[in-house]
Amino acid sequence: MRLDRLLLRAAAFLLLALSAGASEKLRVVTTLPDLADIVRQVGGARVDVNALVKGTENQHAVVAKPSMLIALSRADVFVQIGLSLESSWVPGLLENARNPRIAPGKPGFVNGSDGWPALDVPASLSRQGGDLHPHGNPHFNLSPRAGRHLAARILAALVANDPAGRSEYEAAHARYALALDAAEARWAKAAERLRGVAVATYHQEFDYLARECGLVIVGTVELKPGIPPTPAHVIGLVDAMRVRGARLVLTGAWSNTRQVAQVAEQAQGRVVELPHAVTNAQGSDTWIGMMDQIHTKLLEALDSLPRGP
Ligand SMILES: [Zn+2]
């Protein structure tokens, strides 16, 4: 009896200690799981991090949920990609979360694309025609250089919001930078074989990847980001693929549709489904793992094509 009571008391004490410990952690909420992974790499045991979006979702069509509002109302730090990727759902959530710590302009609000040179910036900023990339291409999480850029932004944010953790964050960031050195060397090696390979994509989401590994994108299946193709556009794309020798059509899981398969078929090529964000799937559960998987899949797809015209 006495022992039971003692055990109960010990359990209660342990729970209290655990909850006290948990509340001391910096609560970080990110939009993409890619950002959450890098926060985890740099933040280690000092942070408790959650992503609002799943890696397989269409990032342009995220539906706000009450659970997101709860997470944001408790957050110490919020990290987004920016470049209008989250502009259809994040501003409303932030307003309703009424959390001054993560309001835009506050140290708890982190825009991952600050300082990132965007590609495909339109000459005039507008959403005319439904363009989903009004401030340039937001899909830079798929650039092999993104890990280094985001890790630096996240290190600065974690130090600003939790100065007591500076040395821990800096040490973890230094370890992550070494992992990035090794990973970037692997991707540069893969790029030697990918350079000059012509491809088409469904959505304009692999432009940063293509720039780094030397793939040549001859066109997109979509007419414009977010605008489905017309029959004339598909005919033009298939012609361009034939002329330029492009036989791979890159797509994410969210856009791997019958239409993509038809384009690949008509161009006598094949569809390559690549991860477009970090997922729970084996091998792509970290940002570095995802980039490894992308390069491996591209090389495998290249090897699977019949030689010659
Ligand atoms: Zn997009």
Side-chain angles (χ1 to χ4, degrees):
M1 194 68 169
R2 266 183 84 97
L3 187 66
D4 282 0
R5 209 174 282 172
L6 210 70
L7 281 173
L8 268 174
R9 228 180 244 188
F13 182 77
L14 192 68
L15 268 175
L16 261 177
L18 279 174
S19 62
S23 69
E24 279 169 21
K25 289 193 179 193
L26 197 68
R27 283 165 299 199
V28 184
V29 173
T30 71
T31 54
L32 299 195
D34 306 47
L35 300 168
D37 171 58
I38 297 173
V39 168
R40 216 167 275 129
Q41 304 291 341
V42 180
R46 293 188 75 90
V47 301
D48 182 15
V49 58
N50 286 298
L52 298 177
V53 178
K54 286 197 181 72
T56 47
E57 278 183 75
N58 176 356
Q59 295 160 5
H60 288 299
V62 174
V63 178
K65 297 185 196 115
S67 59
M68 296 176 174
L69 205 57
I70 294 168
L72 288 171
S73 67
R74 293 173 181 162
D76 299 309
V77 178
F78 167 70
V79 191
Q80 66 167 21
I81 286 283
L83 287 171
S84 287
L85 182 68
E86 303 99 338
S87 63
S88 69
W89 58 287
V90 160
L93 276 175
L94 285 181
E95 202 181 319
N96 286 304
R98 295 174 193 277
N99 178 349
R101 292 188 296 275
I102 58 166
K106 294 291 169 64
F109 178 90
V110 184
N111 194 44
S113 57
D114 282 355
W116 178 266
L119 285 177
D120 315 322
V121 180
S124 63
L125 298 184
S126 84
R127 284 183 184 272
Q128 210 176 10
D131 194 331
L132 288 171
H133 297 168
H135 293 99
N137 195 312
H139 302 290
F140 78 95
N141 62 308
L142 297 174
S143 165
R145 290 168 182 257
R148 202 169 288 275
H149 173 85
L150 289 169
R153 299 274 320 137
I154 285 165
L155 170 65
L158 295 180
V159 170
N161 287 280
D162 177 23
R166 176 186 282 273
S167 58
E168 277 178 66
Y169 294 137
E170 285 177 349
H173 178 265
R175 284 194 297 275
Y176 191 55
L178 287 177
L180 285 171
D181 286 343
E184 286 170 356
R186 290 195 295 279
W187 304 332
K189 184 97 185 116
E192 287 171 15
R193 290 195 49 220
L194 296 170
R195 188 147 293 125
V197 172
V199 300
T201 69
Y202 176 79
H203 182 69
Q204 219 177 60
E205 65 191 327
F206 298 108
D207 293 35
Y208 294 105
L209 174 72
R211 183 182 60 179
E212 293 309 316
C213 69
L215 291 174
V216 180
I217 298 175
V218 303
T220 59
V221 178
E222 280 184 325
L223 196 59
K224 285 173 84 174
I227 308 288
T230 58
H233 176 73
V234 169
I235 291 169
L237 175 65
V238 171
D239 277 350
M241 289 177 72
R242 284 201 182 122
V243 169
R244 314 261 313 256
R247 287 184 294 168
L248 301 177
V249 187
L250 314 186
T251 179
W254 69 274
S255 56
N256 195 353
T257 60
R258 179 80 201 114
Q259 209 155 30
V260 175
Q262 278 166 356
V263 169
E265 206 176 296
Q266 286 168 23
Q268 294 174 313
R270 53 163 296 192
V271 176
V272 189
E273 186 184 302
L274 298 175
H276 69 292
V278 169
T279 65
N280 291 324
Q282 201 183 2
S284 66
D285 54 345
T286 64
W287 183 80
I288 288 179
M290 174 192 72
M291 290 306 303
D292 275 330
Q293 203 173 78
I294 285 176
H295 285 88
T296 303
K297 284 188 172 207
L298 284 170
L299 291 178
E300 283 171 0
L302 199 58
D303 288 339
S304 76
L305 289 173
R307 304 272 166 209

